[in-house]
Amino acid sequence: MREGIKKKMNAHNRKERKKAKKDITWRSKHKKDPGIPSSFPYKDKIINQIEETKRKNQEEKIRLRAERKAAKAAAGGDDQMEEDDEDDEDDEEEEGNGLAALLESAQKAVKAYDGEESDDNDAMEEYEINEYEIEEDEEDEDDKVLDKSRKAYDKIFKAVVDAADVILYVMDARDPEGTRSKKVEEAVLQSQGKRLLLVLNKVDLIPEDNLKKWLDFLQSSFPTIPLKSSNSAVNSVTFNKKLTQTNTANSLLQALKTYSQKSNLKRSIIVGVIGYPNVGKSSVINSLLSRHGGTSTACPVGNQAGVTTSLREIKVDNKLKILDSPGIVFPDSKKKTKTQQEAELALLNAIPPKMISDPIPAITLLIKRLSKSDEMANSFKKLYNIPALPAGNADEFTKNVLIHIARTRGRLGKGGIPNLHAAGSLILNDWRDGKILGYSLPKSSKKASEEEDKPKVPIGATNAIPPPKVEQTTVVQEWSKEFDLDSLFGDVFGSN
């Protein structure tokens, strides 16, 4: 009986949707504002306050108008009087159309009474924001996302580097090497007077010892700051709880202020933010703005790639400007097939889920990486309740895992056939939200990097972890006067 009712309701809903499509009656997409509910206990009080405020504003307008008339009459003559009459008529028309303003003030009054701050619009006006659209060639319309991003590399990246004094290179803490490009660092170093600062974002998704290894490895090349720019997703695996969004953003802002003071520039410094898609560039800027004293979200954010589509210049104050740029897939020196490139970019969350043609290669690559650590492998098996499965090779094992997840999570097609594409998309979404424990280690040599690409034993294999590489460079010694980072995080890691 229950199934019969469901079928009848589905058929009825389909008929209603077809009727709605054929109906030519215009309907507004915007929901109507209901105003103040009649059951609200303090409705009369709020309405009286609105009327009193409206009356005072009206009296203030009349007084200012009279003063303006008297001043212009003394200076001008009849012509000025005629202009004043026209201005008065325009003011009366504006006053007659005050219903929208009345409703808006009523909503603000309700929020103020409930203790909610309705300063979103004021906060947006707190900073001067300029947007610059990116010009795209007509030939690029039929190209793929990767080709588009590489063609935009020259336009966007060069524009940001030329305009900025300090470049914030945002990387994902789970895979810093995957979101890092040597060509970017070389281009910044070749530009005179530019400073490169690495930002290791999403530090709440990797263990503390892994974070320390990456900081030691990256700080041997460039100044590096760990950052938690946004709150963690629900049910995500989190670490480094002492590195909160507040103290990490304060440390980054303090580093920029230190550079501004010691650089002796007579103008505001311009900070450009670059990085792969979905590494958290806009969230980094919003964290800096919130620490600066504002409450606005000047840059739109989302958990998918492609939210930022234009260059945005945010003027924080007279000493700081920030450039937010769209995510760029930087050129890779290694020659890889399109399937390998798409799989790696899918694990970097650099491709929107709708643009991934086949998630199975990406899942295979993810399982290979997780199999290198017992901790990550056991966490993956526990999350999806994966039993002992036959594994002739990595591809076969991946398909068995996807079949198991499709059956247990209800990703089935017609006839109960497991939908491997839907199961793979589910795993990629969990990976993006941080529900799957996964991280990488610094490479110690070229041999280790070559061994990483070789097929490994599926989930559960153990491998020796090589010590991190220490690169010899003089960059840190040259910039240590401007970015003194040892004092910023010494107490935090020491207390852990």
Side-chain angles (χ1 to χ4, degrees), residues 72 94 169 232 244 310 393 431 453:
K72 290 184 178 181
E94 292 178 358
Y169 194 176
S232 304
T244 62
S310 60
N393 52 46
W431 168 256
D453 297 333

Side-chain angles (χ1 to χ4, degrees), residues 224-362:
T224 308
I225 289 182
L227 182 68
K228 178 187 176 183
S229 61
S230 60
N231 297 326
S232 304
V234 181
N235 298 329
S236 61
V237 184
T238 57
F239 303 92
N240 302 310
K241 295 184 178 180
K242 292 187 178 181
L243 291 177
T244 62
Q245 185 177 358
T246 302
N247 58 26
T248 54
N250 278 335
S251 302
L252 178 56
L253 185 61
Q254 185 63 35
L256 295 176
K257 287 183 178 180
T258 303
Y259 171 77
S260 177
Q261 294 172 358
K262 295 184 178 181
S263 59
N264 296 323
L265 292 176
K266 297 182 180 180
R267 56 173 176 80
S268 60
I269 66 168
I270 301 176
V271 179
V273 184
I274 61 173
Y276 274 71
N278 206 32
V279 293
K281 299 182 296 298
S282 299
S283 299
V284 170
I285 296 176
N286 291 335
S287 299
L288 290 175
L289 297 182
S290 63
R291 291 303 95 205
H292 190 268
T295 57
S296 68
T297 54
C299 299
V301 297
N303 61 352
Q304 295 184 6
V307 176
T308 304
T309 57
S310 60
L311 286 172
R312 297 170 66 90
E313 182 185 86
I314 301 99
K315 182 179 180 182
V316 180
D317 53 23
N318 294 330
K319 295 184 179 179
L320 180 61
K321 287 183 181 179
I322 303 178
L323 289 176
D324 185 18
S325 63
I328 308 171
V329 179
F330 298 106
D332 193 353
S333 58
K334 298 180 181 180
K335 293 183 179 181
K336 301 177 182 177
T337 62
K338 292 183 179 180
T339 303
Q340 292 176 340
Q341 292 177 351
E342 183 176 308
E344 292 180 356
L345 293 177
L347 292 186
L348 295 176
N349 307 315
I351 304 178
K354 296 181 180 180
M355 302 298 293
I356 300 175
S357 59
D358 185 11
I360 296 179

Side-chain angles (χ1 to χ4, degrees), residues 198 214-226 473 476 485-486 489 493:
L198 303 183
W214 273 115
L215 288 177
D216 293 339
F217 176 75
L218 295 174
Q219 285 177 354
S220 63
S221 301
F222 297 97
T224 308
I225 289 182
T473 181
V476 174
L485 304 181
D486 295 336
F489 299 101
F493 288 117

